[in-house]
Amino acid sequence: MQKIIAANWKMYKTRAQATQYASEFTASLRKKSYDDRLILVFPPFTAIHDLCQHFSDLPGLAVGAQNFYPANEGAFTGEISPNMLHDVGAQWLLVGHSERRHIMEESSDFIARKVSSGLDYGFKIMLCVGETLAERNAGKLVSILDEQLRSAIASLPEHIHKNLPGRFAVAYEPVWAIGTGRVAGSTEVIEAHAQLRQVLECYLGKVAADIPLLYGGSVKPENAPLLLGLDNVDGLLVGGASLEAQSFLQIIEA
Ligand code: 13P
């Protein structure tokens, strides 16, 4: 399976900063080919259009949105619709990130609605799941991952299951590893990813093997090669270390 290396810029970068990054980034990418990598960038909404224009002639590179509201238009003050994101060139949507689950208090039901509606509107979805440190310490890893993944998939009509490969990815991001410099250990990653694969198999059968599982949480150029070599790790979702073009490029080359 082609490895997915994704950058989540969160609430960082003005348009000017994003454009400067894109110039440096694409100049390096043009010099090499990364046939075995799919590179995704999730910038803030305001930079999506500019990045899409910069990336348009580079294969294997796509732009996504960090959030959306599951309706195409309506009286939803402050929200952004799938239609508007198509309009600026986004192809992927990030759903269920821990910052949205915990800071914005998005529920599993709402996240499930977003997954199903994002797919309906023709987007590719990257669903994030992961336990807090308190949940891990309470022995709830398996039940939390099960609940977060099952609730998102259970809402999908069965006829679309076989079409999910290429349109659906899951990112395991333990909350305690996000932005802390404390990357999950190999055993922890292998255990969590095996659990997620099992839940996928239970719902999707054979196609579960073709759904990429990414790891996210304090990924850096130094730990990326090890993480990418682990069982069931089909890619990386990178926050802080994706904000510098050179450091993200090193992770892509890992
Ligand atoms: P860091 O790489 O900064 O830990 O962030 C991970 C993340 O939340 C990516 O979505």
Side-chain angles (χ1 to χ4, degrees), residues 8 10 97 99 173 177-180 216-220 237-241:
N8 174 10
K10 308 193 180 184
H97 192 280
E99 285 143 22
E173 296 206 302
I178 296 179
T180 58
S218 296
V219 174
K220 303 274 179 283
L237 178 54
V238 190

PDB file of all heavy atoms in Angstrom, residues 8 10 97 99 173 177-180 216-220 237-241, ligand 1:
ATOM      1  N   ASN A   8      -0.889  18.237   9.259  1.00  0.00           N
ATOM      2  CA  ASN A   8      -2.009  18.993   9.827  1.00  0.00           C
ATOM      3  C   ASN A   8      -1.430  20.269  10.408  1.00  0.00           C
ATOM      4  O   ASN A   8      -0.767  20.240  11.445  1.00  0.00           O
ATOM      5  CB  ASN A   8      -2.704  18.142  10.907  1.00  0.00           C
ATOM      6  CG  ASN A   8      -3.787  18.923  11.627  1.00  0.00           C
ATOM      7  OD1 ASN A   8      -4.159  20.025  11.206  1.00  0.00           O
ATOM      8  ND2 ASN A   8      -4.297  18.363  12.718  1.00  0.00           N
ATOM      9  N   LYS A  10      -3.028  22.719  11.656  1.00  0.00           N
ATOM     10  CA  LYS A  10      -3.850  23.290  12.739  1.00  0.00           C
ATOM     11  C   LYS A  10      -4.052  24.796  12.481  1.00  0.00           C
ATOM     12  O   LYS A  10      -4.173  25.197  11.324  1.00  0.00           O
ATOM     13  CB  LYS A  10      -3.210  22.987  14.101  1.00  0.00           C
ATOM     14  CG  LYS A  10      -2.908  21.487  14.236  1.00  0.00           C
ATOM     15  CD  LYS A  10      -2.578  21.031  15.615  1.00  0.00           C
ATOM     16  CE  LYS A  10      -2.312  19.522  15.588  1.00  0.00           C
ATOM     17  NZ  LYS A  10      -2.065  18.956  16.889  1.00  0.00           N
ATOM     18  N   HIS A  97     -10.675  14.777  14.886  1.00  0.00           N
ATOM     19  CA  HIS A  97      -9.392  15.079  15.536  1.00  0.00           C
ATOM     20  C   HIS A  97      -9.634  15.306  17.032  1.00  0.00           C
ATOM     21  O   HIS A  97     -10.665  15.866  17.426  1.00  0.00           O
ATOM     22  CB  HIS A  97      -8.739  16.315  14.907  1.00  0.00           C
ATOM     23  CG  HIS A  97      -7.318  16.475  15.338  1.00  0.00           C
ATOM     24  ND1 HIS A  97      -6.975  17.028  16.549  1.00  0.00           N
ATOM     25  CD2 HIS A  97      -6.152  16.106  14.749  1.00  0.00           C
ATOM     26  CE1 HIS A  97      -5.661  17.005  16.684  1.00  0.00           C
ATOM     27  NE2 HIS A  97      -5.133  16.445  15.602  1.00  0.00           N
ATOM     28  N   GLU A  99      -8.558  17.401  19.035  1.00  0.00           N
ATOM     29  CA  GLU A  99      -8.818  18.793  19.439  1.00  0.00           C
ATOM     30  C   GLU A  99     -10.269  19.172  19.200  1.00  0.00           C
ATOM     31  O   GLU A  99     -10.835  19.985  19.920  1.00  0.00           O
ATOM     32  CB  GLU A  99      -7.827  19.721  18.713  1.00  0.00           C
ATOM     33  CG  GLU A  99      -6.436  19.604  19.334  1.00  0.00           C
ATOM     34  CD  GLU A  99      -5.270  19.687  18.370  1.00  0.00           C
ATOM     35  OE1 GLU A  99      -5.424  20.232  17.261  1.00  0.00           O
ATOM     36  OE2 GLU A  99      -4.179  19.188  18.732  1.00  0.00           O
ATOM     37  N   GLU A 173      -4.233   8.641  16.854  1.00  0.00           N
ATOM     38  CA  GLU A 173      -3.484   9.718  17.502  1.00  0.00           C
ATOM     39  C   GLU A 173      -3.765   9.690  19.000  1.00  0.00           C
ATOM     40  O   GLU A 173      -4.768  10.259  19.457  1.00  0.00           O
ATOM     41  CB  GLU A 173      -3.919  11.074  16.926  1.00  0.00           C
ATOM     42  CG  GLU A 173      -3.611  11.240  15.456  1.00  0.00           C
ATOM     43  CD  GLU A 173      -3.458  12.709  15.082  1.00  0.00           C
ATOM     44  OE1 GLU A 173      -4.391  13.491  15.289  1.00  0.00           O
ATOM     45  OE2 GLU A 173      -2.367  13.068  14.618  1.00  0.00           O
ATOM     46  N   ALA A 177       0.109  11.883  23.200  1.00  0.00           N
ATOM     47  CA  ALA A 177       1.308  12.005  22.351  1.00  0.00           C
ATOM     48  C   ALA A 177       1.255  13.252  21.468  1.00  0.00           C
ATOM     49  O   ALA A 177       2.239  13.603  20.830  1.00  0.00           O
ATOM     50  CB  ALA A 177       1.452  10.761  21.475  1.00  0.00           C
ATOM     51  N   ILE A 178       0.106  13.918  21.446  1.00  0.00           N
ATOM     52  CA  ILE A 178      -0.058  15.060  20.541  1.00  0.00           C
ATOM     53  C   ILE A 178       0.570  16.315  21.133  1.00  0.00           C
ATOM     54  O   ILE A 178       0.179  16.771  22.209  1.00  0.00           O
ATOM     55  CB  ILE A 178      -1.557  15.305  20.234  1.00  0.00           C
ATOM     56  CG1 ILE A 178      -2.133  14.103  19.473  1.00  0.00           C
ATOM     57  CG2 ILE A 178      -1.743  16.591  19.441  1.00  0.00           C
ATOM     58  CD1 ILE A 178      -3.609  14.218  19.148  1.00  0.00           C
ATOM     59  N   GLY A 179       1.569  16.834  20.423  1.00  0.00           N
ATOM     60  CA  GLY A 179       2.198  18.084  20.834  1.00  0.00           C
ATOM     61  C   GLY A 179       2.986  17.998  22.130  1.00  0.00           C
ATOM     62  O   GLY A 179       3.334  19.024  22.715  1.00  0.00           O
ATOM     63  N   THR A 180       3.271  16.798  22.602  1.00  0.00           N
ATOM     64  CA  THR A 180       3.953  16.646  23.896  1.00  0.00           C
ATOM     65  C   THR A 180       5.415  16.239  23.753  1.00  0.00           C
ATOM     66  O   THR A 180       6.154  16.247  24.733  1.00  0.00           O
ATOM     67  CB  THR A 180       3.274  15.536  24.731  1.00  0.00           C
ATOM     68  OG1 THR A 180       3.321  14.312  23.963  1.00  0.00           O
ATOM     69  CG2 THR A 180       1.831  15.874  25.051  1.00  0.00           C
ATOM     70  N   GLY A 216      -0.258   9.255  14.426  1.00  0.00           N
ATOM     71  CA  GLY A 216       0.045  10.668  14.654  1.00  0.00           C
ATOM     72  C   GLY A 216       0.296  10.941  16.122  1.00  0.00           C
ATOM     73  O   GLY A 216      -0.308  10.312  17.005  1.00  0.00           O
ATOM     74  N   GLY A 217       1.183  11.890  16.422  1.00  0.00           N
ATOM     75  CA  GLY A 217       1.496  12.252  17.805  1.00  0.00           C
ATOM     76  C   GLY A 217       2.984  12.341  17.986  1.00  0.00           C
ATOM     77  O   GLY A 217       3.669  11.327  18.099  1.00  0.00           O
ATOM     78  N   SER A 218       3.519  13.598  17.953  1.00  0.00           N
ATOM     79  CA  SER A 218       4.953  13.848  18.128  1.00  0.00           C
ATOM     80  C   SER A 218       5.830  13.120  17.099  1.00  0.00           C
ATOM     81  O   SER A 218       6.936  12.677  17.422  1.00  0.00           O
ATOM     82  CB  SER A 218       5.390  13.506  19.559  1.00  0.00           C
ATOM     83  OG  SER A 218       4.734  14.365  20.475  1.00  0.00           O
ATOM     84  N   VAL A 219       5.314  13.008  15.873  1.00  0.00           N
ATOM     85  CA  VAL A 219       6.149  12.460  14.792  1.00  0.00           C
ATOM     86  C   VAL A 219       7.198  13.505  14.420  1.00  0.00           C
ATOM     87  O   VAL A 219       6.896  14.693  14.308  1.00  0.00           O
ATOM     88  CB  VAL A 219       5.297  12.119  13.538  1.00  0.00           C
ATOM     89  CG1 VAL A 219       6.192  11.688  12.382  1.00  0.00           C
ATOM     90  CG2 VAL A 219       4.277  11.032  13.867  1.00  0.00           C
ATOM     91  N   LYS A 220       8.445  13.043  14.267  1.00  0.00           N
ATOM     92  CA  LYS A 220       9.568  13.926  13.928  1.00  0.00           C
ATOM     93  C   LYS A 220      10.399  13.209  12.863  1.00  0.00           C
ATOM     94  O   LYS A 220      10.281  11.992  12.707  1.00  0.00           O
ATOM     95  CB  LYS A 220      10.469  14.141  15.157  1.00  0.00           C
ATOM     96  CG  LYS A 220       9.752  14.712  16.383  1.00  0.00           C
ATOM     97  CD  LYS A 220       9.697  16.227  16.330  1.00  0.00           C
ATOM     98  CE  LYS A 220       8.968  16.848  17.508  1.00  0.00           C
ATOM     99  NZ  LYS A 220       7.526  16.787  17.502  1.00  0.00           N
ATOM    100  N   LEU A 237       0.509  11.094  10.391  1.00  0.00           N
ATOM    101  CA  LEU A 237      -0.186  12.381  10.416  1.00  0.00           C
ATOM    102  C   LEU A 237       0.631  13.292  11.337  1.00  0.00           C
ATOM    103  O   LEU A 237       0.792  13.007  12.525  1.00  0.00           O
ATOM    104  CB  LEU A 237      -1.621  12.192  10.939  1.00  0.00           C
ATOM    105  CG  LEU A 237      -2.485  13.448  11.086  1.00  0.00           C
ATOM    106  CD1 LEU A 237      -2.564  14.262   9.798  1.00  0.00           C
ATOM    107  CD2 LEU A 237      -3.900  13.064  11.531  1.00  0.00           C
ATOM    108  N   VAL A 238       1.167  14.346  10.756  1.00  0.00           N
ATOM    109  CA  VAL A 238       2.188  15.138  11.434  1.00  0.00           C
ATOM    110  C   VAL A 238       1.667  16.545  11.739  1.00  0.00           C
ATOM    111  O   VAL A 238       1.172  17.229  10.844  1.00  0.00           O
ATOM    112  CB  VAL A 238       3.449  15.247  10.533  1.00  0.00           C
ATOM    113  CG1 VAL A 238       4.610  15.851  11.312  1.00  0.00           C
ATOM    114  CG2 VAL A 238       3.826  13.898   9.946  1.00  0.00           C
ATOM    115  N   GLY A 239       1.804  16.967  12.985  1.00  0.00           N
ATOM    116  CA  GLY A 239       1.417  18.325  13.365  1.00  0.00           C
ATOM    117  C   GLY A 239       2.620  19.248  13.334  1.00  0.00           C
ATOM    118  O   GLY A 239       3.080  19.672  12.272  1.00  0.00           O
ATOM    119  N   GLY A 240       3.190  19.521  14.513  1.00  0.00           N
ATOM    120  CA  GLY A 240       4.278  20.499  14.650  1.00  0.00           C
ATOM    121  C   GLY A 240       5.406  20.350  13.646  1.00  0.00           C
ATOM    122  O   GLY A 240       5.864  21.343  13.060  1.00  0.00           O
ATOM    123  N   ALA A 241       5.851  19.120  13.414  1.00  0.00           N
ATOM    124  CA  ALA A 241       7.012  18.922  12.530  1.00  0.00           C
ATOM    125  C   ALA A 241       6.662  19.099  11.047  1.00  0.00           C
ATOM    126  O   ALA A 241       7.547  19.008  10.197  1.00  0.00           O
ATOM    127  CB  ALA A 241       7.618  17.535  12.771  1.00  0.00           C
TER     128      ALA A 241
HETATM  129  P1  13P B   1       2.034  16.791  16.735  1.00  0.00           P
HETATM  130  O1  13P B   1       2.741  16.123  15.587  1.00  0.00           O
HETATM  131  O2  13P B   1       2.379  18.242  16.879  1.00  0.00           O
HETATM  132  O3  13P B   1       2.164  16.011  17.991  1.00  0.00           O
HETATM  133  O4  13P B   1       0.453  16.793  16.359  1.00  0.00           O
HETATM  134  C1  13P B   1      -0.142  15.624  15.948  1.00  0.00           C
HETATM  135  C2  13P B   1      -1.491  15.928  15.418  1.00  0.00           C
HETATM  136  O5  13P B   1      -2.380  16.314  16.162  1.00  0.00           O
HETATM  137  C3  13P B   1      -1.711  15.781  13.980  1.00  0.00           C
HETATM  138  O6  13P B   1      -3.070  15.803  13.672  1.00  0.00           O
END
